[in-house]
Each structure stands twice: as structure tokens, then as C-alpha cells.
């Protein structure tokens, strides 16, 4: 009973120290008295991990743009940076948007849709109607399919556009191959072997970029 009284005394102390104004940033200590504190804190940590991870990935993509501009590699800007930027914002960026939208608009008196269910439903229930309990904002059933289509278009764009252009325009392919040579690729003596090796290098490189 002493343990129960001590726990009750700590909760009462927290309650008496509460000023009545919620925290603007961070976790309010008053959540320690909530019955769903574990569920709330785990959900909060997951959302913060998604936001910080998205910011880190976007930082890397934007830095790559500055590298392409510095090296005057316009083909990589249009065939690598743009599809990466579009794909990331259509999926992870859209999830970050829903997180902030739910934080600022959803109240205890309105519907509280699950963001995970909404993200999965974008693919498994493509183009279907959204129930009112799962609706986060107006026109959601029309906007989400468009986002999925744009994201899916960016995948073959990122994988095939650059090798295809380099195959159709030998000068661009030769310039790209020379760049790989400068970065440490082995030289080929015969011209035919050089073309095959350069094309395969580009396809493998774009495949890695697409998977990442």
C-alpha cells in the first residue's frame, strides 16, 4: 500500500504543478497520468522519426542538385534529381504533410483517421471511396490516386531515362563514360567493349539510384 500511496502522491504532485497551459514543444509531463500514455508516446516518436528522416533525405537530395549544378550535369538533374525529388515528396513528403495536418486540425471531437491505414489504402484501395471516419481532408479520394500515379511514373523515369538518352545520343554516353573513367573505372582498349561496358555501368548505376 505504501507503493500505491507513493505513486498516488507523485501523480498528485504532477497534477498540482500543472499550469493549465499545454507545452508548445515536447511532451507535457501531464501525459504521465494518462491511461494511453504509452500509445501516445510511441506514436509521437514514430511521427518525429518520419519527419526527421524525411528532412535528412531531402537534405541529401538537395545537396546532390548542387553537385550536378557545379559539374554542369544537366542530364542528371532531369533524369536523377527530379524523379527522386518527386517520388520522395509524393510518398514520404505526403505522409509528413498528413502528420502536420492531423496535428493542427484533428480534435477530440472530430474523426481521428489512422495515417498508417490512409497510407496503405492509397495503394491497396486505389481510387475507391474513403469513409468519413477515415477521411482526413476534402477531396482526399481524388488527390491520393493522383499522387500514387505521379510517384509510379517517376520510378521508370529515374531508372530508364538516362540510359535511354545515352544510348540514343552517343556523345552524351561517351561523356558519361569518361566521367566514370575519371572516377576510377577501368579503361577498355576496344571500342565495342568500351560501349558495352559504359552502357552496363550506366544501367547498374541508375538501378542503384532507383533502389535507394
Amino acid at each position: 500500500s505504501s507503493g500505491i500511496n507513493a505513486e498516488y502522491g507523485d501523480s498528485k504532485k504532477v497534477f498540482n504543478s500543472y499550469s493549465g497551459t499545454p507545452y508548445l514543444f515536447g511532451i507535457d509531463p501531464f501525459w504521465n497520468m494518462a491511461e494511453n500514455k504509452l500509445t501516445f508516446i510511441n506514436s509521437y516518436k514514430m511521427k518525429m522519426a518520419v519527419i526527421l528522416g524525411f528532412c535528412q533525405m531531402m537534405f541529401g537530395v538537395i545537396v546532390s542538385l548542387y553537385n550536378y549544378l557545379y559539374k554542369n550535369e544537366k542530364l542528371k538533374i532531369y533524369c536523377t534529381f527530379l524523379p527522386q525529388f518527386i517520388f520522395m515528396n509524393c510518398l514520404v513528403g505526403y505522409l509528413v504533410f498528413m502528420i502536420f495536418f492531423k496535428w493542427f486540425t484533428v480534435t477530440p471531437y472530430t474523426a481521428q483517421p489512422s495515417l498508417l491505414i490512409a497510407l496503405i489504402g492509397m495503394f491497396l484501395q486505389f481510387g475507391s471511396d474513403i469513409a468519413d471516419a477515415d477521411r482526413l481532408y476534402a477531396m482526399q479520394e481524388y488527390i491520393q490516386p493522383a499522387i500514387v500515379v505521379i510517384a509510379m511514373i517517376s520510378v521508370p523515369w529515374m531508372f530508364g531515362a538516362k540510359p535511354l538518352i545515352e544510348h540514343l545520343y552517343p556523345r552524351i554516353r561517351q561523356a558519361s563514360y569518361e566521367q566514370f573513367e575519371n572516377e576510377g573505372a577501368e579503361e577498355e582498349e576496344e571500342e565495342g567493349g568500351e560501349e558495352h561496358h559504359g552502357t552496363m555501368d550506366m544501367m547498374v548505376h541508375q538501378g542503384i539510384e532507383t533502389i535507394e
Side-chain angles (χ1 to χ4, degrees):
S1 61
S2 60
I4 297 175
N5 293 331
E7 182 179 357
Y8 175 76
D10 293 339
S11 301
K12 187 175 180 181
K13 183 177 180 181
V14 172
F15 181 81
N16 293 331
S17 62
Y18 179 60
S19 62
T21 304
Y23 276 27
L24 296 178
F25 183 80
I27 301 294
D28 197 310
F30 204 67
W31 272 103
N32 291 322
M33 298 186 62
E35 295 181 357
N36 61 335
K37 65 176 182 179
L38 185 61
T39 303
F40 169 77
I41 292 175
N42 288 339
S43 175
Y44 183 81
K45 289 189 292 185
M46 181 190 69
K47 292 180 175 66
M48 290 302 300
V50 171
I51 295 171
L52 294 177
F54 173 74
C55 294
Q56 182 183 13
M57 290 186 292
M58 283 301 300
F59 176 76
V61 173
I62 293 174
V63 168
S64 69
L65 173 62
Y66 280 96
N67 290 334
Y68 299 150
L69 291 173
Y70 178 77
K71 297 179 181 179
N72 196 24
E73 297 175 341
K74 295 182 179 180
L75 184 62
K76 288 187 177 180
I77 295 176
Y78 295 112
C79 298
T80 302
F81 167 76
L82 278 181
Q84 284 181 349
F85 185 84
I86 292 173
F87 183 83
M88 188 174 301
N89 281 278
C90 285
L91 295 184
V92 186
Y94 178 67
L95 179 59
V96 172
F97 161 76
M98 290 195 295
I99 290 173
F100 281 103
F101 190 88
K102 185 176 180 180
W103 278 350
F104 287 107
T105 60
V106 175
T107 66
Y109 306 101
T110 59
Q112 300 182 10
S114 172
L115 301 184
L116 182 60
I117 298 300
L119 189 65
I120 296 175
M122 287 176 59
F123 299 91
L124 299 184
Q125 299 177 354
F126 181 82
S128 61
D129 294 335
I130 300 177
D132 293 337
D134 298 329
R135 186 186 304 276
L136 188 63
Y137 57 89
M139 305 294 290
Q140 184 176 353
E141 62 270 21
Y142 302 106
I143 295 176
Q144 288 186 166
I147 292 175
V148 173
V149 170
I150 295 173
M152 293 300 101
I153 290 174
S154 65
V155 174
W157 177 11
M158 180 172 19
F159 176 74
K162 188 170 180 287
L164 179 62
I165 293 174
E166 289 172 350
H167 179 73
L168 296 176
Y169 298 94
R171 291 182 179 179
I172 298 177
R173 182 192 62 211
Q174 182 63 26
S176 299
Y177 179 70
E178 289 175 356
Q179 179 187 355
F180 273 94
E181 282 186 333
N182 295 332
E183 293 175 356
E186 297 181 356
E187 296 182 0
E188 296 287 341
E189 294 181 359
E190 298 180 0
E191 184 177 358
E194 180 176 322
E195 290 183 1
H196 176 73
H197 185 67
T199 302
M200 291 302 298
D201 274 347
M202 294 302 163
M203 293 183 65
V204 170
H205 181 72
Q206 285 303 114
I208 295 173
E209 294 283 348
T210 304
I211 293 172
E212 289 179 352

PDB file of all heavy atoms in Angstrom, residues 195-206:
ATOM      1  N   GLU A 195      31.894   0.522 -75.339  1.00  0.00           N
ATOM      2  CA  GLU A 195      30.488   0.921 -75.396  1.00  0.00           C
ATOM      3  C   GLU A 195      29.641   0.014 -74.508  1.00  0.00           C
ATOM      4  O   GLU A 195      28.790   0.484 -73.764  1.00  0.00           O
ATOM      5  CB  GLU A 195      30.004   0.856 -76.837  1.00  0.00           C
ATOM      6  CG  GLU A 195      30.605   1.946 -77.729  1.00  0.00           C
ATOM      7  CD  GLU A 195      30.029   1.880 -79.124  1.00  0.00           C
ATOM      8  OE1 GLU A 195      29.170   0.998 -79.352  1.00  0.00           O
ATOM      9  OE2 GLU A 195      30.425   2.686 -79.964  1.00  0.00           O
ATOM     10  N   HIS A 196      29.893  -1.285 -74.574  1.00  0.00           N
ATOM     11  CA  HIS A 196      29.096  -2.219 -73.768  1.00  0.00           C
ATOM     12  C   HIS A 196      29.336  -1.982 -72.280  1.00  0.00           C
ATOM     13  O   HIS A 196      28.411  -1.939 -71.482  1.00  0.00           O
ATOM     14  CB  HIS A 196      29.456  -3.655 -74.159  1.00  0.00           C
ATOM     15  CG  HIS A 196      28.774  -4.683 -73.327  1.00  0.00           C
ATOM     16  ND1 HIS A 196      27.430  -4.960 -73.451  1.00  0.00           N
ATOM     17  CD2 HIS A 196      29.244  -5.484 -72.335  1.00  0.00           C
ATOM     18  CE1 HIS A 196      27.094  -5.898 -72.595  1.00  0.00           C
ATOM     19  NE2 HIS A 196      28.180  -6.239 -71.905  1.00  0.00           N
ATOM     20  N   HIS A 197      30.599  -1.821 -71.919  1.00  0.00           N
ATOM     21  CA  HIS A 197      30.927  -1.607 -70.514  1.00  0.00           C
ATOM     22  C   HIS A 197      30.328  -0.308 -70.003  1.00  0.00           C
ATOM     23  O   HIS A 197      29.799  -0.241 -68.902  1.00  0.00           O
ATOM     24  CB  HIS A 197      32.456  -1.594 -70.367  1.00  0.00           C
ATOM     25  CG  HIS A 197      32.909  -1.503 -68.943  1.00  0.00           C
ATOM     26  ND1 HIS A 197      32.710  -2.518 -68.043  1.00  0.00           N
ATOM     27  CD2 HIS A 197      33.540  -0.501 -68.273  1.00  0.00           C
ATOM     28  CE1 HIS A 197      33.212  -2.172 -66.865  1.00  0.00           C
ATOM     29  NE2 HIS A 197      33.713  -0.954 -66.986  1.00  0.00           N
ATOM     30  N   GLY A 198      30.368   0.751 -70.810  1.00  0.00           N
ATOM     31  CA  GLY A 198      29.810   2.022 -70.380  1.00  0.00           C
ATOM     32  C   GLY A 198      28.307   1.966 -70.212  1.00  0.00           C
ATOM     33  O   GLY A 198      27.762   2.485 -69.248  1.00  0.00           O
ATOM     34  N   THR A 199      27.606   1.298 -71.160  1.00  0.00           N
ATOM     35  CA  THR A 199      26.150   1.195 -71.063  1.00  0.00           C
ATOM     36  C   THR A 199      25.742   0.375 -69.842  1.00  0.00           C
ATOM     37  O   THR A 199      24.809   0.743 -69.123  1.00  0.00           O
ATOM     38  CB  THR A 199      25.588   0.556 -72.344  1.00  0.00           C
ATOM     39  OG1 THR A 199      25.976   1.339 -73.476  1.00  0.00           O
ATOM     40  CG2 THR A 199      24.072   0.472 -72.278  1.00  0.00           C
ATOM     41  N   MET A 200      26.426  -0.734 -69.604  1.00  0.00           N
ATOM     42  CA  MET A 200      26.105  -1.554 -68.449  1.00  0.00           C
ATOM     43  C   MET A 200      26.376  -0.804 -67.147  1.00  0.00           C
ATOM     44  O   MET A 200      25.624  -0.919 -66.181  1.00  0.00           O
ATOM     45  CB  MET A 200      26.910  -2.853 -68.487  1.00  0.00           C
ATOM     46  CG  MET A 200      26.493  -3.802 -69.592  1.00  0.00           C
ATOM     47  SD  MET A 200      24.753  -4.271 -69.481  1.00  0.00           S
ATOM     48  CE  MET A 200      24.740  -5.094 -67.898  1.00  0.00           C
ATOM     49  N   ASP A 201      27.464  -0.028 -67.141  1.00  0.00           N
ATOM     50  CA  ASP A 201      27.757   0.769 -65.944  1.00  0.00           C
ATOM     51  C   ASP A 201      26.633   1.751 -65.653  1.00  0.00           C
ATOM     52  O   ASP A 201      26.224   1.927 -64.499  1.00  0.00           O
ATOM     53  CB  ASP A 201      29.072   1.535 -66.138  1.00  0.00           C
ATOM     54  CG  ASP A 201      30.273   0.696 -65.743  1.00  0.00           C
ATOM     55  OD1 ASP A 201      30.060  -0.349 -65.103  1.00  0.00           O
ATOM     56  OD2 ASP A 201      31.401   1.077 -66.075  1.00  0.00           O
ATOM     57  N   MET A 202      26.125   2.389 -66.701  1.00  0.00           N
ATOM     58  CA  MET A 202      25.050   3.361 -66.518  1.00  0.00           C
ATOM     59  C   MET A 202      23.768   2.692 -66.030  1.00  0.00           C
ATOM     60  O   MET A 202      23.061   3.214 -65.159  1.00  0.00           O
ATOM     61  CB  MET A 202      24.789   4.115 -67.823  1.00  0.00           C
ATOM     62  CG  MET A 202      25.929   4.996 -68.263  1.00  0.00           C
ATOM     63  SD  MET A 202      26.348   6.207 -66.998  1.00  0.00           S
ATOM     64  CE  MET A 202      27.961   6.712 -67.563  1.00  0.00           C
ATOM     65  N   MET A 203      23.451   1.522 -66.572  1.00  0.00           N
ATOM     66  CA  MET A 203      22.239   0.829 -66.155  1.00  0.00           C
ATOM     67  C   MET A 203      22.341   0.370 -64.699  1.00  0.00           C
ATOM     68  O   MET A 203      21.383   0.485 -63.932  1.00  0.00           O
ATOM     69  CB  MET A 203      21.978  -0.360 -67.076  1.00  0.00           C
ATOM     70  CG  MET A 203      21.632   0.029 -68.497  1.00  0.00           C
ATOM     71  SD  MET A 203      21.238  -1.394 -69.535  1.00  0.00           S
ATOM     72  CE  MET A 203      19.745  -1.981 -68.740  1.00  0.00           C
ATOM     73  N   VAL A 204      23.510  -0.146 -64.322  1.00  0.00           N
ATOM     74  CA  VAL A 204      23.695  -0.567 -62.932  1.00  0.00           C
ATOM     75  C   VAL A 204      23.628   0.638 -61.995  1.00  0.00           C
ATOM     76  O   VAL A 204      22.997   0.592 -60.929  1.00  0.00           O
ATOM     77  CB  VAL A 204      25.037  -1.309 -62.773  1.00  0.00           C
ATOM     78  CG1 VAL A 204      25.353  -1.541 -61.306  1.00  0.00           C
ATOM     79  CG2 VAL A 204      25.003  -2.631 -63.519  1.00  0.00           C
ATOM     80  N   HIS A 205      24.256   1.730 -62.410  1.00  0.00           N
ATOM     81  CA  HIS A 205      24.254   2.939 -61.576  1.00  0.00           C
ATOM     82  C   HIS A 205      22.846   3.482 -61.402  1.00  0.00           C
ATOM     83  O   HIS A 205      22.438   3.838 -60.281  1.00  0.00           O
ATOM     84  CB  HIS A 205      25.159   3.997 -62.204  1.00  0.00           C
ATOM     85  CG  HIS A 205      25.239   5.261 -61.416  1.00  0.00           C
ATOM     86  ND1 HIS A 205      25.913   5.352 -60.211  1.00  0.00           N
ATOM     87  CD2 HIS A 205      24.716   6.504 -61.635  1.00  0.00           C
ATOM     88  CE1 HIS A 205      25.811   6.580 -59.732  1.00  0.00           C
ATOM     89  NE2 HIS A 205      25.085   7.293 -60.584  1.00  0.00           N
ATOM     90  N   GLN A 206      22.070   3.521 -62.469  1.00  0.00           N
ATOM     91  CA  GLN A 206      20.693   4.006 -62.370  1.00  0.00           C
ATOM     92  C   GLN A 206      19.826   3.051 -61.569  1.00  0.00           C
ATOM     93  O   GLN A 206      18.914   3.474 -60.870  1.00  0.00           O
ATOM     94  CB  GLN A 206      20.103   4.204 -63.775  1.00  0.00           C
ATOM     95  CG  GLN A 206      20.625   5.436 -64.486  1.00  0.00           C
ATOM     96  CD  GLN A 206      20.391   6.703 -63.703  1.00  0.00           C
ATOM     97  OE1 GLN A 206      21.337   7.352 -63.247  1.00  0.00           O
ATOM     98  NE2 GLN A 206      19.150   7.093 -63.522  1.00  0.00           N
TER      99      GLN A 206
END
